[in-house]
Amino acid sequence: MRSEPPVVRAGLTVMLLVPVAVLAAFVSTGWEPLRAFDRAVADRMHEVAHAAPPLTTLMTWVTHLFQPNVFRVAALILVIWLVRRGERWTAIWVAVTMIAGGVLGGLLKLLFGRARPDFLDPVASTVGYAFPSGHALNSALAVTIALMIFQGWRALWLIPVLTALSRVYLGVHWTSDVIAGLLLGVAVPLLTARIFARTRAAEPIPQR
């Protein structure tokens, strides 16, 4: 796990959570500029999706390949691997972080109850509320955890970015949904790592 100074990690967490809070406030109040922006992007992506079937097929594969359960299974495998290496504290941190992030995303969806984009001729459909995007949140959670444990894997960030893009492209999420999901997915691991470091100072998460 990278060893940024606590003040740096705290600052990063705040920098990520503030825009999420702002987006949440705009969503809850129905702020018109945000609604207009989300609608304009959704309509444009919908046009492209119908005009480019091969790209739409690719994005459909991306959104299915990187669904939340894939990252949950990957996190479980990582937990088992860490336990076998004797790094139980890090394994607990990974498990708690994935669970906390998933629960937070679900609670926020229920709290805001935001409807998904609607089209007369949709290229994809799904159920549930929109804000924040569970796909974007869970992909960012898993990748952030991986980057905090293993160094030099920055290319992994392509995964949550592509996942978020696929959700907007397929018309099942607004742009602000995936942005909030990505930001939360990074903020939660930073926050839980800080809490774990404070509560178990005698047994910190191993540094690599």
Side-chain angles (χ1 to χ4, degrees):
M1 178 177 170
R2 295 184 181 179
S3 55
E4 295 96 342
V7 65
V8 173
R9 186 172 295 160
L12 287 172
T13 305
V14 171
M15 289 175 61
L16 293 166
L17 290 178
V18 167
V20 173
V22 172
L23 282 174
F26 288 161
V27 168
S28 65
T29 59
W31 193 51
E32 185 56 35
L34 179 63
R35 292 179 59 183
F37 170 77
D38 278 339
R39 185 80 254 179
V41 174
D43 288 344
R44 179 53 183 158
M45 289 294 98
H46 188 63
E47 293 174 3
V48 174
H50 275 287
L55 181 57
T56 302
T57 299
L58 174 61
M59 286 297 182
T60 301
W61 276 100
V62 168
T63 206
H64 289 322
L65 179 61
F66 298 128
Q67 62 173 293
N69 284 336
V70 170
F71 295 105
R72 291 166 186 151
V73 171
L76 177 59
I77 294 172
L78 176 59
V79 166
I80 295 171
W81 180 77
L82 288 168
V83 170
R84 290 176 63 87
R85 286 173 55 90
E87 299 181 26
R88 290 177 176 81
W89 187 238
T90 306
I92 294 172
W93 169 71
V94 172
V96 168
T97 300
M98 286 298 296
I99 293 171
V103 170
L104 176 62
L107 290 175
L108 289 176
K109 282 179 179 288
L110 291 175
L111 177 63
F112 292 99
R114 189 185 200 188
R116 295 176 184 269
D118 57 320
F119 300 97
L120 293 177
D121 52 347
V123 296
S125 62
T126 189
V127 297
Y129 296 121
F131 184 88
S133 165
H135 278 65
L137 172 58
N138 282 276
S139 61
L141 270 176
V143 167
T144 302
I145 288 170
L147 292 178
M148 291 178 73
I149 295 177
F150 307 105
Q151 294 187 19
W153 290 17
R154 294 180 181 176
L156 285 176
W157 260 109
L158 287 174
I159 294 176
V161 171
L162 282 174
T163 302
L165 178 60
S166 74
R167 303 304 283 170
V168 177
Y169 181 93
L170 294 173
V172 293
H173 272 295
W174 306 105
T175 301
S176 52
D177 298 336
V178 300
I179 291 175
L182 292 174
L183 293 175
L184 281 174
V186 179
V188 170
L190 293 176
L191 182 60
T192 57
R194 181 173 173 78
I195 294 172
F196 270 53
R198 283 188 172 186
T199 57
R200 292 294 297 269
E203 189 182 352
I205 297 174
Q207 305 292 317
R208 285 187 172 82

